[in-house]
Short mmCIF file of all heavy atoms in Angstrom, two decimals:
data_model
loop_
_atom_site.label_atom_id
_atom_site.label_comp_id
_atom_site.label_asym_id
_atom_site.label_seq_id
_atom_site.Cartn_x
_atom_site.Cartn_y
_atom_site.Cartn_z
N MET Z 791 -127.60 -141.07 -76.67
CA MET Z 791 -128.11 -141.43 -75.35
C MET Z 791 -126.96 -141.64 -74.33
O MET Z 791 -126.01 -142.33 -74.67
CB MET Z 791 -128.94 -142.72 -75.45
CG MET Z 791 -129.83 -142.96 -74.19
SD MET Z 791 -131.03 -141.67 -73.92
CE MET Z 791 -132.31 -142.16 -75.07
N MET Z 792 -127.05 -141.06 -73.17
CA MET Z 792 -125.98 -141.20 -72.18
C MET Z 792 -125.97 -142.57 -71.57
O MET Z 792 -126.97 -143.23 -71.37
CB MET Z 792 -126.16 -140.15 -71.05
CG MET Z 792 -125.50 -138.85 -71.35
SD MET Z 792 -125.72 -137.73 -69.94
CE MET Z 792 -124.81 -138.62 -68.69
N LYS Z 793 -124.77 -142.98 -71.21
CA LYS Z 793 -124.59 -144.25 -70.52
C LYS Z 793 -124.03 -143.99 -69.16
O LYS Z 793 -123.20 -143.10 -68.94
CB LYS Z 793 -123.60 -145.17 -71.32
CG LYS Z 793 -124.14 -145.59 -72.67
CD LYS Z 793 -125.18 -146.68 -72.55
CE LYS Z 793 -125.58 -147.16 -73.93
NZ LYS Z 793 -126.61 -148.22 -73.86
N VAL Z 794 -124.44 -144.81 -68.21
CA VAL Z 794 -123.88 -144.75 -66.84
C VAL Z 794 -123.49 -146.19 -66.46
O VAL Z 794 -123.93 -147.17 -67.07
CB VAL Z 794 -124.87 -144.20 -65.82
CG1 VAL Z 794 -125.13 -142.73 -66.14
CG2 VAL Z 794 -126.13 -144.98 -65.79
N ASN Z 795 -122.73 -146.31 -65.41
CA ASN Z 795 -122.38 -147.63 -64.91
C ASN Z 795 -123.30 -147.97 -63.77
O ASN Z 795 -123.58 -147.15 -62.89
CB ASN Z 795 -120.89 -147.67 -64.46
CG ASN Z 795 -119.96 -147.56 -65.62
OD1 ASN Z 795 -120.20 -148.05 -66.67
ND2 ASN Z 795 -118.85 -146.83 -65.39
N CYS Z 796 -123.72 -149.25 -63.75
CA CYS Z 796 -124.56 -149.75 -62.62
C CYS Z 796 -123.83 -149.47 -61.31
O CYS Z 796 -122.62 -149.67 -61.18
CB CYS Z 796 -124.78 -151.24 -62.83
SG CYS Z 796 -125.53 -152.03 -61.41
N ILE Z 797 -124.61 -148.92 -60.31
CA ILE Z 797 -124.01 -148.58 -59.06
C ILE Z 797 -123.64 -149.80 -58.24
O ILE Z 797 -122.99 -149.70 -57.20
CB ILE Z 797 -124.93 -147.65 -58.23
CG1 ILE Z 797 -126.27 -148.35 -57.97
CG2 ILE Z 797 -125.12 -146.34 -58.95
CD1 ILE Z 797 -127.23 -147.49 -57.13
N PHE Z 798 -124.08 -151.00 -58.68
CA PHE Z 798 -123.79 -152.22 -57.96
C PHE Z 798 -122.71 -153.04 -58.63
O PHE Z 798 -121.73 -153.45 -58.02
CB PHE Z 798 -125.04 -153.06 -57.80
CG PHE Z 798 -126.07 -152.45 -56.92
CD1 PHE Z 798 -127.06 -151.65 -57.42
CD2 PHE Z 798 -126.01 -152.61 -55.54
CE1 PHE Z 798 -127.99 -151.06 -56.53
CE2 PHE Z 798 -126.89 -152.00 -54.66
CZ PHE Z 798 -127.91 -151.24 -55.21
N CYS Z 799 -122.85 -153.28 -59.97
CA CYS Z 799 -121.95 -154.19 -60.64
C CYS Z 799 -121.05 -153.51 -61.67
O CYS Z 799 -120.10 -154.09 -62.18
CB CYS Z 799 -122.70 -155.37 -61.31
SG CYS Z 799 -123.59 -154.88 -62.78
N GLY Z 800 -121.34 -152.24 -61.98
CA GLY Z 800 -120.50 -151.48 -62.90
C GLY Z 800 -120.83 -151.74 -64.34
O GLY Z 800 -120.17 -151.16 -65.21
N TYR Z 801 -121.83 -152.53 -64.65
CA TYR Z 801 -122.20 -152.83 -65.99
C TYR Z 801 -122.74 -151.55 -66.66
O TYR Z 801 -123.43 -150.75 -66.04
CB TYR Z 801 -123.27 -153.91 -66.06
CG TYR Z 801 -123.62 -154.38 -67.40
CD1 TYR Z 801 -122.80 -155.28 -68.12
CD2 TYR Z 801 -124.81 -154.00 -68.07
CE1 TYR Z 801 -123.17 -155.78 -69.34
CE2 TYR Z 801 -125.15 -154.44 -69.31
CZ TYR Z 801 -124.31 -155.33 -69.95
OH TYR Z 801 -124.68 -155.77 -71.18
N GLU Z 802 -122.41 -151.28 -67.95
CA GLU Z 802 -122.84 -150.08 -68.59
C GLU Z 802 -124.30 -150.17 -69.04
O GLU Z 802 -124.67 -151.09 -69.78
CB GLU Z 802 -121.97 -149.81 -69.82
CG GLU Z 802 -122.15 -148.43 -70.40
CD GLU Z 802 -121.22 -148.14 -71.55
OE1 GLU Z 802 -121.40 -148.78 -72.63
OE2 GLU Z 802 -120.31 -147.32 -71.42
N ILE Z 803 -125.13 -149.27 -68.53
CA ILE Z 803 -126.55 -149.24 -68.84
C ILE Z 803 -126.97 -147.85 -69.26
O ILE Z 803 -126.24 -146.87 -69.05
CB ILE Z 803 -127.39 -149.67 -67.62
CG1 ILE Z 803 -127.13 -148.76 -66.42
CG2 ILE Z 803 -127.13 -151.13 -67.24
CD1 ILE Z 803 -128.02 -149.01 -65.24
N ASP Z 804 -128.19 -147.77 -69.87
CA ASP Z 804 -128.69 -146.48 -70.26
C ASP Z 804 -129.00 -145.62 -69.03
O ASP Z 804 -129.44 -146.13 -67.98
CB ASP Z 804 -129.96 -146.68 -71.09
CG ASP Z 804 -130.42 -145.42 -71.74
OD1 ASP Z 804 -131.02 -144.55 -71.09
OD2 ASP Z 804 -130.17 -145.28 -72.95
N VAL Z 805 -128.75 -144.30 -69.13
CA VAL Z 805 -128.92 -143.45 -67.95
C VAL Z 805 -130.37 -143.40 -67.48
O VAL Z 805 -130.63 -143.11 -66.33
CB VAL Z 805 -128.41 -142.01 -68.30
CG1 VAL Z 805 -129.37 -141.35 -69.30
CG2 VAL Z 805 -128.27 -141.15 -67.03
N ASN Z 806 -131.31 -143.70 -68.34
CA ASN Z 806 -132.73 -143.67 -67.96
C ASN Z 806 -133.22 -145.00 -67.44
O ASN Z 806 -134.39 -145.09 -66.97
CB ASN Z 806 -133.57 -143.28 -69.18
CG ASN Z 806 -133.35 -141.82 -69.56
OD1 ASN Z 806 -133.21 -140.96 -68.69
ND2 ASN Z 806 -133.26 -141.56 -70.85
N ASP Z 807 -132.40 -146.03 -67.49
CA ASP Z 807 -132.82 -147.33 -67.00
C ASP Z 807 -132.96 -147.32 -65.48
O ASP Z 807 -132.10 -146.81 -64.77
CB ASP Z 807 -131.79 -148.43 -67.41
CG ASP Z 807 -131.90 -148.80 -68.82
OD1 ASP Z 807 -132.88 -148.36 -69.50
OD2 ASP Z 807 -131.02 -149.53 -69.31
N LEU Z 808 -134.10 -147.84 -64.99
CA LEU Z 808 -134.31 -147.88 -63.53
C LEU Z 808 -133.64 -149.10 -62.96
O LEU Z 808 -133.38 -149.16 -61.76
CB LEU Z 808 -135.79 -147.87 -63.22
CG LEU Z 808 -136.54 -146.58 -63.62
CD1 LEU Z 808 -137.99 -146.72 -63.21
CD2 LEU Z 808 -135.94 -145.35 -62.93
N PHE Z 809 -133.45 -150.14 -63.77
CA PHE Z 809 -132.84 -151.34 -63.27
C PHE Z 809 -131.69 -151.77 -64.19
O PHE Z 809 -131.72 -151.61 -65.42
CB PHE Z 809 -133.88 -152.50 -63.28
CG PHE Z 809 -135.04 -152.25 -62.35
CD1 PHE Z 809 -136.16 -151.64 -62.80
CD2 PHE Z 809 -134.95 -152.57 -61.02
CE1 PHE Z 809 -137.28 -151.38 -61.96
CE2 PHE Z 809 -135.96 -152.32 -60.14
CZ PHE Z 809 -137.18 -151.72 -60.61
N CYS Z 810 -130.62 -152.33 -63.60
CA CYS Z 810 -129.50 -152.80 -64.36
C CYS Z 810 -129.91 -154.01 -65.16
O CYS Z 810 -130.54 -154.94 -64.63
CB CYS Z 810 -128.36 -153.18 -63.40
SG CYS Z 810 -126.99 -153.97 -64.19
N SER Z 811 -129.53 -154.03 -66.45
CA SER Z 811 -129.91 -155.18 -67.29
C SER Z 811 -129.03 -156.36 -67.01
O SER Z 811 -129.26 -157.46 -67.50
CB SER Z 811 -129.87 -154.76 -68.76
OG SER Z 811 -128.63 -154.22 -69.09
N GLU Z 812 -127.96 -156.15 -66.28
CA GLU Z 812 -126.98 -157.25 -66.00
C GLU Z 812 -127.34 -157.90 -64.62
O GLU Z 812 -127.54 -159.09 -64.59
CB GLU Z 812 -125.56 -156.70 -66.00
CG GLU Z 812 -124.52 -157.75 -65.64
CD GLU Z 812 -124.31 -158.79 -66.74
OE1 GLU Z 812 -124.85 -158.64 -67.83
OE2 GLU Z 812 -123.66 -159.78 -66.46
N CYS Z 813 -127.41 -157.13 -63.58
CA CYS Z 813 -127.63 -157.69 -62.25
C CYS Z 813 -129.06 -157.48 -61.75
O CYS Z 813 -129.44 -158.08 -60.77
CB CYS Z 813 -126.61 -157.16 -61.24
SG CYS Z 813 -126.84 -155.42 -60.82
N GLY Z 814 -129.85 -156.63 -62.43
CA GLY Z 814 -131.21 -156.42 -62.03
C GLY Z 814 -131.46 -155.56 -60.85
O GLY Z 814 -132.61 -155.37 -60.42
N GLN Z 815 -130.42 -154.91 -60.33
CA GLN Z 815 -130.59 -154.04 -59.13
C GLN Z 815 -131.20 -152.71 -59.55
O GLN Z 815 -130.89 -152.16 -60.59
CB GLN Z 815 -129.21 -153.82 -58.44
CG GLN Z 815 -128.64 -155.05 -57.80
CD GLN Z 815 -129.35 -155.36 -56.51
OE1 GLN Z 815 -130.16 -154.61 -55.98
NE2 GLN Z 815 -129.04 -156.56 -55.97
N SER Z 816 -132.02 -152.19 -58.69
CA SER Z 816 -132.63 -150.85 -58.93
C SER Z 816 -131.55 -149.77 -58.85
O SER Z 816 -130.69 -149.81 -57.94
CB SER Z 816 -133.68 -150.59 -57.85
OG SER Z 816 -134.13 -149.24 -57.93
N GLN Z 817 -131.67 -148.80 -59.75
CA GLN Z 817 -130.66 -147.71 -59.80
C GLN Z 817 -131.24 -146.45 -59.15
O GLN Z 817 -130.68 -145.40 -59.29
CB GLN Z 817 -130.29 -147.43 -61.24
CG GLN Z 817 -129.81 -148.64 -62.02
CD GLN Z 817 -128.53 -149.18 -61.45
OE1 GLN Z 817 -127.54 -148.48 -61.32
NE2 GLN Z 817 -128.50 -150.47 -61.05
N ARG Z 818 -132.32 -146.57 -58.43
CA ARG Z 818 -132.99 -145.39 -57.93
C ARG Z 818 -132.39 -144.80 -56.65
O ARG Z 818 -132.72 -143.68 -56.31
CB ARG Z 818 -134.50 -145.71 -57.65
CG ARG Z 818 -135.33 -145.70 -58.93
CD ARG Z 818 -136.78 -145.82 -58.55
NE ARG Z 818 -137.21 -144.78 -57.60
CZ ARG Z 818 -137.61 -143.53 -58.00
NH1 ARG Z 818 -137.59 -143.23 -59.24
NH2 ARG Z 818 -137.95 -142.66 -57.09
N ASP Z 819 -131.56 -145.53 -55.94
CA ASP Z 819 -131.00 -145.05 -54.73
C ASP Z 819 -130.30 -143.71 -54.89
O ASP Z 819 -130.56 -142.73 -54.18
CB ASP Z 819 -130.01 -146.03 -54.11
CG ASP Z 819 -130.75 -147.20 -53.49
OD1 ASP Z 819 -131.97 -147.15 -53.35
OD2 ASP Z 819 -130.08 -148.18 -53.19
N GLU Z 820 -129.46 -143.60 -55.90
CA GLU Z 820 -128.74 -142.39 -56.15
C GLU Z 820 -129.67 -141.24 -56.52
O GLU Z 820 -129.53 -140.14 -56.06
CB GLU Z 820 -127.75 -142.64 -57.31
CG GLU Z 820 -126.51 -141.77 -57.24
CD GLU Z 820 -125.54 -142.16 -58.31
OE1 GLU Z 820 -125.95 -142.86 -59.29
OE2 GLU Z 820 -124.36 -141.84 -58.23
N GLN Z 821 -130.71 -141.50 -57.35
CA GLN Z 821 -131.62 -140.48 -57.76
C GLN Z 821 -132.41 -139.97 -56.57
O GLN Z 821 -132.63 -138.72 -56.45
CB GLN Z 821 -132.57 -141.00 -58.83
CG GLN Z 821 -131.84 -141.32 -60.13
CD GLN Z 821 -132.83 -141.91 -61.16
OE1 GLN Z 821 -134.07 -142.01 -60.94
NE2 GLN Z 821 -132.30 -142.33 -62.32
N GLN Z 822 -132.86 -140.85 -55.69
CA GLN Z 822 -133.60 -140.37 -54.49
C GLN Z 822 -132.72 -139.46 -53.61
O GLN Z 822 -133.24 -138.49 -53.14
CB GLN Z 822 -134.10 -141.58 -53.68
CG GLN Z 822 -135.27 -142.31 -54.33
CD GLN Z 822 -135.73 -143.49 -53.59
OE1 GLN Z 822 -134.96 -144.04 -52.76
NE2 GLN Z 822 -136.92 -143.94 -53.84
N GLN Z 823 -131.47 -139.82 -53.47
CA GLN Z 823 -130.60 -138.95 -52.70
C GLN Z 823 -130.54 -137.54 -53.33
O GLN Z 823 -130.58 -136.56 -52.62
CB GLN Z 823 -129.19 -139.57 -52.64
CG GLN Z 823 -129.03 -140.51 -51.47
CD GLN Z 823 -127.57 -140.98 -51.32
OE1 GLN Z 823 -126.81 -140.87 -52.24
NE2 GLN Z 823 -127.28 -141.50 -50.17
N ASN Z 824 -130.42 -137.50 -54.62
CA ASN Z 824 -130.32 -136.23 -55.31
C ASN Z 824 -131.60 -135.42 -55.11
O ASN Z 824 -131.55 -134.21 -54.90
CB ASN Z 824 -130.07 -136.44 -56.82
CG ASN Z 824 -128.65 -136.93 -57.04
OD1 ASN Z 824 -127.78 -136.82 -56.19
ND2 ASN Z 824 -128.43 -137.50 -58.25
N ASP Z 825 -132.75 -136.06 -55.18
CA ASP Z 825 -134.00 -135.39 -54.92
C ASP Z 825 -134.05 -134.76 -53.57
O ASP Z 825 -134.52 -133.62 -53.41
CB ASP Z 825 -135.18 -136.35 -55.16
CG ASP Z 825 -135.40 -136.69 -56.60
OD1 ASP Z 825 -134.77 -136.02 -57.43
OD2 ASP Z 825 -136.16 -137.58 -56.88
N GLU Z 826 -133.58 -135.49 -52.55
CA GLU Z 826 -133.63 -134.99 -51.19
C GLU Z 826 -132.71 -133.79 -51.02
O GLU Z 826 -132.92 -132.92 -50.16
CB GLU Z 826 -133.27 -136.08 -50.21
CG GLU Z 826 -134.37 -137.12 -50.10
CD GLU Z 826 -133.88 -138.32 -49.27
OE1 GLU Z 826 -132.75 -138.29 -48.74
OE2 GLU Z 826 -134.66 -139.28 -49.22
N ASP Z 827 -131.65 -133.75 -51.81
CA ASP Z 827 -130.68 -132.65 -51.63
C ASP Z 827 -131.16 -131.33 -52.27
O ASP Z 827 -130.62 -130.30 -51.95
CB ASP Z 827 -129.35 -133.01 -52.31
CG ASP Z 827 -128.57 -133.98 -51.42
OD1 ASP Z 827 -128.96 -134.14 -50.25
OD2 ASP Z 827 -127.61 -134.62 -51.89
N ILE Z 828 -132.18 -131.42 -53.12
CA ILE Z 828 -132.66 -130.22 -53.78
C ILE Z 828 -133.31 -129.31 -52.75
O ILE Z 828 -134.12 -129.76 -51.94
CB ILE Z 828 -133.62 -130.55 -54.91
CG1 ILE Z 828 -132.84 -131.23 -56.05
CG2 ILE Z 828 -134.35 -129.32 -55.43
CD1 ILE Z 828 -133.74 -131.80 -57.13
N PHE Z 829 -132.99 -128.03 -52.79
CA PHE Z 829 -133.59 -127.04 -51.89
C PHE Z 829 -134.55 -126.18 -52.72
O PHE Z 829 -134.15 -125.51 -53.70
CB PHE Z 829 -132.50 -126.17 -51.28
CG PHE Z 829 -133.06 -125.21 -50.23
CD1 PHE Z 829 -133.20 -125.55 -48.91
CD2 PHE Z 829 -133.48 -123.93 -50.60
CE1 PHE Z 829 -133.71 -124.72 -47.97
CE2 PHE Z 829 -133.97 -123.07 -49.66
CZ PHE Z 829 -134.12 -123.43 -48.32
N VAL Z 830 -135.82 -126.19 -52.34
CA VAL Z 830 -136.83 -125.42 -53.08
C VAL Z 830 -136.92 -123.99 -52.51
O VAL Z 830 -137.13 -123.81 -51.33
CB VAL Z 830 -138.19 -126.13 -53.01
CG1 VAL Z 830 -139.25 -125.27 -53.73
CG2 VAL Z 830 -138.12 -127.49 -53.60
N CYS Z 831 -136.73 -123.03 -53.40
CA CYS Z 831 -136.79 -121.65 -52.98
C CYS Z 831 -138.18 -121.29 -52.44
O CYS Z 831 -139.15 -121.54 -53.14
CB CYS Z 831 -136.43 -120.76 -54.17
SG CYS Z 831 -136.70 -118.95 -53.84
N PRO Z 832 -138.29 -120.73 -51.23
CA PRO Z 832 -139.62 -120.43 -50.67
C PRO Z 832 -140.24 -119.20 -51.37
O PRO Z 832 -141.44 -118.97 -51.24
CB PRO Z 832 -139.32 -120.06 -49.20
CG PRO Z 832 -137.88 -119.67 -49.22
CD PRO Z 832 -137.21 -120.46 -50.30
N THR Z 833 -139.48 -118.42 -52.11
CA THR Z 833 -139.99 -117.27 -52.76
C THR Z 833 -140.58 -117.58 -54.18
O THR Z 833 -141.73 -117.23 -54.48
CB THR Z 833 -138.89 -116.19 -52.90
OG1 THR Z 833 -138.37 -115.88 -51.63
CG2 THR Z 833 -139.45 -114.92 -53.58
N CYS Z 834 -139.74 -118.26 -55.00
CA CYS Z 834 -140.22 -118.50 -56.38
C CYS Z 834 -140.46 -119.94 -56.66
O CYS Z 834 -141.01 -120.30 -57.71
CB CYS Z 834 -139.16 -117.98 -57.39
SG CYS Z 834 -137.66 -118.91 -57.42
N GLY Z 835 -140.12 -120.86 -55.72
CA GLY Z 835 -140.42 -122.23 -55.91
C GLY Z 835 -139.40 -123.00 -56.79
O GLY Z 835 -139.61 -124.17 -57.10
N ALA Z 836 -138.33 -122.31 -57.24
CA ALA Z 836 -137.33 -122.97 -58.08
C ALA Z 836 -136.52 -123.95 -57.28
O ALA Z 836 -136.33 -123.83 -56.08
CB ALA Z 836 -136.42 -121.92 -58.71
N GLU Z 837 -136.01 -124.99 -57.95
CA GLU Z 837 -135.20 -125.98 -57.27
C GLU Z 837 -133.72 -125.57 -57.39
O GLU Z 837 -133.21 -125.44 -58.47
CB GLU Z 837 -135.43 -127.31 -57.93
CG GLU Z 837 -136.86 -127.87 -57.70
CD GLU Z 837 -137.09 -129.20 -58.38
OE1 GLU Z 837 -136.30 -129.56 -59.26
OE2 GLU Z 837 -138.09 -129.83 -58.08
N ASN Z 838 -133.10 -125.48 -56.23
CA ASN Z 838 -131.69 -125.08 -56.17
C ASN Z 838 -130.85 -126.17 -55.67
O ASN Z 838 -131.29 -127.05 -54.91
CB ASN Z 838 -131.55 -123.83 -55.25
CG ASN Z 838 -132.08 -122.56 -55.91
OD1 ASN Z 838 -131.33 -121.89 -56.61
ND2 ASN Z 838 -133.34 -122.26 -55.65
N ALA Z 839 -129.55 -126.16 -55.97
CA ALA Z 839 -128.62 -127.08 -55.41
C ALA Z 839 -128.48 -126.77 -53.92
O ALA Z 839 -128.64 -125.62 -53.50
CB ALA Z 839 -127.27 -126.93 -56.07
N PRO Z 840 -128.18 -127.76 -53.09
CA PRO Z 840 -127.99 -127.54 -51.66
C PRO Z 840 -126.74 -126.66 -51.37
O PRO Z 840 -125.80 -126.65 -52.16
CB PRO Z 840 -127.86 -128.93 -51.05
CG PRO Z 840 -127.30 -129.73 -52.18
CD PRO Z 840 -127.92 -129.15 -53.45
N GLY Z 841 -126.76 -125.94 -50.28
CA GLY Z 841 -125.58 -125.18 -49.83
C GLY Z 841 -125.54 -123.78 -50.33
O GLY Z 841 -124.66 -123.03 -49.95
N LEU Z 842 -126.43 -123.36 -51.20
CA LEU Z 842 -126.46 -121.99 -51.64
C LEU Z 842 -127.10 -121.10 -50.57
O LEU Z 842 -128.00 -121.53 -49.82
CB LEU Z 842 -127.25 -121.83 -52.95
CG LEU Z 842 -126.74 -122.60 -54.12
CD1 LEU Z 842 -127.70 -122.40 -55.34
CD2 LEU Z 842 -125.35 -122.14 -54.53
N ASN Z 843 -126.64 -119.82 -50.48
CA ASN Z 843 -127.28 -118.93 -49.50
C ASN Z 843 -128.26 -117.93 -50.15
O ASN Z 843 -128.81 -117.11 -49.56
CB ASN Z 843 -126.27 -118.19 -48.63
CG ASN Z 843 -125.22 -117.45 -49.49
OD1 ASN Z 843 -125.49 -117.20 -50.67
ND2 ASN Z 843 -124.12 -117.13 -48.93
N HIS Z 844 -128.39 -118.06 -51.51
CA HIS Z 844 -129.40 -117.30 -52.18
C HIS Z 844 -129.95 -118.10 -53.39
O HIS Z 844 -129.23 -118.96 -53.88
CB HIS Z 844 -128.90 -115.94 -52.64
CG HIS Z 844 -127.85 -116.03 -53.70
ND1 HIS Z 844 -126.54 -116.23 -53.50
CD2 HIS Z 844 -128.01 -115.98 -55.07
CE1 HIS Z 844 -125.85 -116.31 -54.62
NE2 HIS Z 844 -126.71 -116.15 -55.62
N CYS Z 845 -131.12 -117.78 -53.82
CA CYS Z 845 -131.75 -118.48 -54.92
C CYS Z 845 -131.03 -118.14 -56.22
O CYS Z 845 -130.78 -116.95 -56.53
CB CYS Z 845 -133.23 -118.14 -55.02
SG CYS Z 845 -134.05 -118.88 -56.45
N ALA Z 846 -130.72 -119.16 -57.01
CA ALA Z 846 -129.98 -118.91 -58.29
C ALA Z 846 -130.93 -118.35 -59.34
O ALA Z 846 -130.45 -117.88 -60.40
CB ALA Z 846 -129.34 -120.16 -58.77
N PHE Z 847 -132.21 -118.36 -59.08
CA PHE Z 847 -133.17 -117.95 -60.10
C PHE Z 847 -133.75 -116.56 -59.80
O PHE Z 847 -133.81 -115.70 -60.63
CB PHE Z 847 -134.31 -118.96 -60.23
CG PHE Z 847 -133.81 -120.28 -60.67
CD1 PHE Z 847 -133.32 -121.23 -59.77
CD2 PHE Z 847 -133.81 -120.57 -62.01
CE1 PHE Z 847 -132.86 -122.50 -60.23
CE2 PHE Z 847 -133.32 -121.84 -62.49
CZ PHE Z 847 -132.86 -122.70 -61.56
N CYS Z 848 -134.17 -116.32 -58.53
CA CYS Z 848 -134.80 -115.02 -58.23
C CYS Z 848 -133.85 -114.17 -57.29
O CYS Z 848 -134.15 -113.06 -56.97
CB CYS Z 848 -136.13 -115.18 -57.56
SG CYS Z 848 -136.13 -115.85 -55.90
N CYS Z 849 -132.76 -114.78 -56.86
CA CYS Z 849 -131.74 -114.06 -56.06
C CYS Z 849 -132.20 -113.70 -54.67
O CYS Z 849 -131.54 -112.90 -53.98
CB CYS Z 849 -131.21 -112.82 -56.79
SG CYS Z 849 -130.27 -113.23 -58.27
N SER Z 850 -133.31 -114.20 -54.23
CA SER Z 850 -133.74 -113.90 -52.82
C SER Z 850 -132.82 -114.64 -51.85
O SER Z 850 -132.42 -115.81 -52.12
CB SER Z 850 -135.18 -114.28 -52.62
OG SER Z 850 -135.36 -115.68 -52.70
N ILE Z 851 -132.54 -114.03 -50.73
CA ILE Z 851 -131.64 -114.62 -49.74
C ILE Z 851 -132.43 -115.65 -48.89
O ILE Z 851 -133.52 -115.39 -48.43
CB ILE Z 851 -131.05 -113.53 -48.82
CG1 ILE Z 851 -130.42 -112.41 -49.64
CG2 ILE Z 851 -130.04 -114.12 -47.87
CD1 ILE Z 851 -129.24 -112.88 -50.51
N PHE Z 852 -131.81 -116.81 -48.72
CA PHE Z 852 -132.43 -117.84 -47.85
C PHE Z 852 -132.20 -117.46 -46.42
O PHE Z 852 -131.03 -117.19 -46.06
CB PHE Z 852 -131.86 -119.18 -48.21
CG PHE Z 852 -132.18 -119.64 -49.61
CD1 PHE Z 852 -131.37 -120.57 -50.23
CD2 PHE Z 852 -133.30 -119.22 -50.27
CE1 PHE Z 852 -131.62 -120.97 -51.53
CE2 PHE Z 852 -133.58 -119.61 -51.55
CZ PHE Z 852 -132.74 -120.50 -52.19
N ARG Z 853 -133.21 -117.59 -45.63
CA ARG Z 853 -133.21 -117.33 -44.16
C ARG Z 853 -132.64 -116.00 -43.70
O ARG Z 853 -132.21 -115.13 -44.44
CB ARG Z 853 -132.49 -118.43 -43.39
CG ARG Z 853 -131.01 -118.08 -43.08
CD ARG Z 853 -130.39 -119.18 -42.22
NE ARG Z 853 -129.72 -120.13 -43.10
CZ ARG Z 853 -129.00 -121.11 -42.63
NH1 ARG Z 853 -128.90 -121.33 -41.34
NH2 ARG Z 853 -128.34 -121.94 -43.42
ZN1 ZN E 1003 -125.70 -154.14 -62.29
ZN1 ZN E 1004 -136.14 -118.10 -55.93
#
């Protein structure tokens, strides 16, 4: 199981934990940012990393 450090206090917690077991802060801020950065291909609906000019799955050109 992967471990990550709490984004607030640095305590080592499980990567799937939503709250730090040490300071109790929610770890969702980072995940929500990542979700917003995902670009959904209008052609095939695949989720791509931001900044690409073509879909990594179906290769259609964006815009
Ligand atoms: Zn913490
Ligand atoms: Zn696509």
Side-chain angles (χ1 to χ4, degrees):
M791 195 62 81
M792 271 183 64
K793 296 284 185 181
V794 294
N795 291 324
C796 170
I797 59 179
F798 292 94
C799 72
Y801 186 79
E802 192 176 69
I803 58 174
D804 192 281
V805 69
N806 292 319
D807 284 351
L808 294 181
F809 297 93
C810 173
S811 55
E812 178 71 11
C813 70
Q815 291 285 350
S816 170
Q817 307 295 304
R818 280 189 54 85
D819 286 350
E820 209 175 17
Q821 292 178 5
Q822 283 178 341
Q823 272 186 343
N824 288 342
D825 286 348
E826 289 171 4
D827 283 347
I828 290 173
F829 186 88
V830 177
C831 172
T833 303
C834 72
E837 294 178 344
N838 286 273
L842 298 177
N843 55 19
H844 69 275
C845 176
F847 297 87
C848 70
C849 294
S850 67
I851 308 297
F852 296 154
R853 97 174 94 174

